[in-house]
Amino acid sequence: MKRFMLNAAAVAVLVTTIFPVYWMFLTAFKPTRDIQSDTPTFWPAHPTLDHFVTAINAPGFWTYWRNSLLVTVGAVLIALVVAMLAAFAVTRMSWRGKGAFVVAVFAAQMAPWEALLVPVFIIARDTQLLDSLAMLTGVYFMITLPFTIVTLRGFLAAIPVELEEAAQVDGCSRLTAFRRVVFPLLAPGLMATSLFGFITAWNEFAFVNVLIIKDQDRRTLPVWLSSFRDVFGTDWGATMAAASLFALPALLLFLFLQRRVGTGMTAGAVKG
């Protein structure tokens, strides 16, 4: 009975979580008359791609798509490199102030992003970096870096240090031992953190509105989603199609990485 209750609760949570996403995709394929009907349908009787055509042909779609991809991928790659070096220094080296550094990273992770809007805007204004994709990339890097350091620190700490020592005994330098032994075992952690960083930066909305003021062509997809309005109101079909297209890259990335993200890859790596 206990197991049945736990499974029932899990199914309820799953349905509650998945249903809004299902309704989004469902609405994207419904004709407009079915969307506005008083009787809801849970399966498109006459599916159509017209809303996707409207979304793709909307002004600025490909420009905003490119901007989102550039700033997101750039921020994630930079964060992975910096966080990997920081995590290695924390887990494998002894130096003064290491404890304070770890506390500062955790504090940065706990700080609400909204509290940074005004300071970041002032910095961007004073450095003349408003309406700049480089500044937006730097902000996304700042947002994703603390979590990336914390996560990679945990993955790196789980890799036995004896593997590096054995490689160094065999003649490898510390850098070579890290590259040939530790880095392949760290791959699941890199994939997991890159997925989180990608979703975080891909979905970010507030900083775009604050930092991109005059040059509308520098904005990203979350802002583009709010453009499906006309004199008759909101085009719900096109909006849901646009939201589906917006969610597609993160979904594909998750499906590509989910089989490669796991733990226990180092189990049994040290013998004897």
Side-chain angles (χ1 to χ4, degrees):
M1 179 58 67
K2 180 179 179 181
R3 186 172 184 178
F4 172 79
M5 294 299 294
L6 290 175
N7 290 336
V11 171
V13 172
L14 177 64
V15 172
T16 304
T17 306
I18 295 298
F19 182 76
V21 180
Y22 170 74
W23 195 260
M24 175 185 72
F25 283 103
L26 177 65
T27 306
F29 286 99
K30 281 184 178 182
T32 302
R33 64 179 182 275
D34 292 344
I35 297 175
Q36 299 175 350
S37 174
D38 295 334
T39 304
T41 57
F42 296 90
W43 188 258
H46 306 284
T48 178
L49 296 176
D50 292 343
H51 301 311
F52 288 94
V53 174
T54 301
I56 292 176
N57 292 330
F61 170 76
W62 294 111
T63 300
Y64 288 4
W65 182 280
R66 180 201 63 195
N67 294 344
S68 287
L69 196 63
L70 286 176
V71 298
T72 300
V73 173
V76 170
L77 291 178
I78 298 173
L80 284 177
V81 173
V82 175
M84 184 170 57
L85 298 176
F88 183 83
V90 169
T91 57
R92 293 293 195 263
M93 299 179 181
S94 298
W95 40 280
R96 181 178 297 178
K98 183 171 70 172
F101 173 79
V102 174
V103 171
V105 170
F106 275 100
Q109 173 63 23
M110 292 185 293
W113 301 338
E114 293 78 5
L116 304 176
L117 286 172
V118 174
V120 168
F121 173 80
I122 294 175
I123 293 173
R125 182 198 61 191
D126 294 344
T127 55
Q128 297 182 355
L129 287 176
L130 291 174
D131 300 310
S132 169
L133 290 181
M135 184 65 186
L136 202 57
T137 303
V139 171
Y140 290 172
F141 160 73
M142 173 190 67
I143 292 174
T144 58
L145 182 61
F147 177 85
T148 308
I149 294 177
V150 171
T151 306
L152 289 183
R153 174 175 171 265
F155 276 95
L156 195 56
I159 299 176
V161 69
E162 290 83 0
L163 294 175
E164 293 177 72
E165 295 174 348
Q168 290 176 345
V169 169
D170 291 339
C172 291
S173 64
R174 192 164 195 173
L175 180 60
T176 304
F178 177 82
R179 179 171 57 87
R180 293 185 177 181
V181 178
V182 178
F183 185 78
L185 297 175
L186 192 60
L190 293 173
M191 293 180 181
T193 51
S194 65
L195 179 61
F196 172 83
F198 184 91
I199 293 174
T200 302
W202 187 259
N203 292 331
E204 205 287 316
F205 181 84
F207 281 101
V208 181
N209 280 328
V210 171
L211 299 178
I212 309 298
I213 302 175
K214 298 179 180 179
D215 192 351
Q216 301 297 314
D217 290 338
R218 298 286 182 175
R219 294 197 164 189
T220 55
L221 280 176
V223 179
W224 170 75
L225 279 175
S226 63
S227 64
F228 293 96
R229 294 185 177 90
D230 52 30
V231 294
F232 301 104
T234 301
D235 186 348
W236 290 112
T239 301
M240 293 299 103
S244 301
L245 292 173
F246 174 73
L248 193 60
L251 179 62
L252 293 177
L253 182 63
F254 171 77
L255 293 176
F256 176 74
L257 295 181
Q258 58 95 14
R259 291 186 177 181
R260 295 168 173 80
V261 176
T263 57
M265 292 190 65
T266 60
V270 181
K271 298 181 180 180

